[in-house]
Amino acid sequence: MRFYHLLVLGSFFLGLLGCGGSGSQVPTHEVKGKVTYDGAALPDGVIFFDSTKKDVPSYSVLVKEGAFSAHLAKGNYTVRITGTKTAPYPAGTVGANGEKEGPIQYLPAKYNTETILSADVTGASGSQEVDFTLKSK
């Protein structure tokens, strides 16, 4: 039994050594910016950077008080932004614990599920600013 535990532990550590070696990491660049919705900072949300190339990873980061900061690989991205707020459930609907309100995603589909947003990460030295101005209409 002791041999089995040592074998499992040894395999775990060998697996760690094989993950993320220095040659397998994609260089990233700092990208930060602001997200506004109808002229005001987006209070809370998530911004998704979906790479247009299969060999470049996609990323997601939180938006807090209209600001975000991410480290992204150089390339072109399709961008999706979601924002949530607490709102009443439709009449006759309650949450799992009887709640009458809960989080809803309120940004228009053109900014998330049917996005029109994009970003080009140039990889230039220093930080790259990318701002998103969203409108309800």
Side-chain angles (χ1 to χ4, degrees):
M1 186 68 127
R2 181 179 167 153
F3 175 75
Y4 174 76
H5 289 296
L6 288 174
L7 183 63
V8 170
L9 190 59
S11 297
F12 172 75
F13 283 112
L14 284 174
L16 286 178
L17 289 174
C19 294
S22 61
S24 66
Q25 292 184 359
V26 176
T28 60
H29 309 277
E30 183 179 28
V31 176
K32 57 185 176 178
K34 295 182 174 68
V35 180
T36 58
Y37 182 61
D38 287 340
L42 184 69
D44 290 297
V46 179
I47 185 166
F48 300 88
F49 293 91
D50 299 323
S51 175
T52 58
K53 292 186 173 183
K54 291 185 180 189
D55 60 338
V56 177
S58 294
Y59 304 86
S60 63
V61 294
L62 295 177
V63 177
K64 290 287 186 192
E65 302 304 323
F68 72 90
S69 179
H71 285 82
L72 308 175
K74 180 179 175 179
N76 295 312
Y77 294 87
T78 299
V79 177
R80 296 177 291 124
I81 302 174
T82 60
T84 57
K85 64 181 178 180
T86 301
Y89 288 130
T93 304
V94 294
N97 294 317
E99 305 92 356
K100 299 207 184 275
E101 61 182 24
I104 62 161
Q105 197 296 117
Y106 64 95
L107 296 179
K110 66 182 178 180
Y111 301 127
N112 43 70
T113 57
E114 299 170 17
T115 190
I116 60 170
L117 304 173
S118 64
D120 181 29
V121 177
T122 62
S125 63
S127 176
Q128 182 176 340
E129 286 281 330
V130 179
D131 295 333
F132 297 96
T133 303
L134 315 180
K135 297 181 181 176
S136 59
K137 302 280 186 220

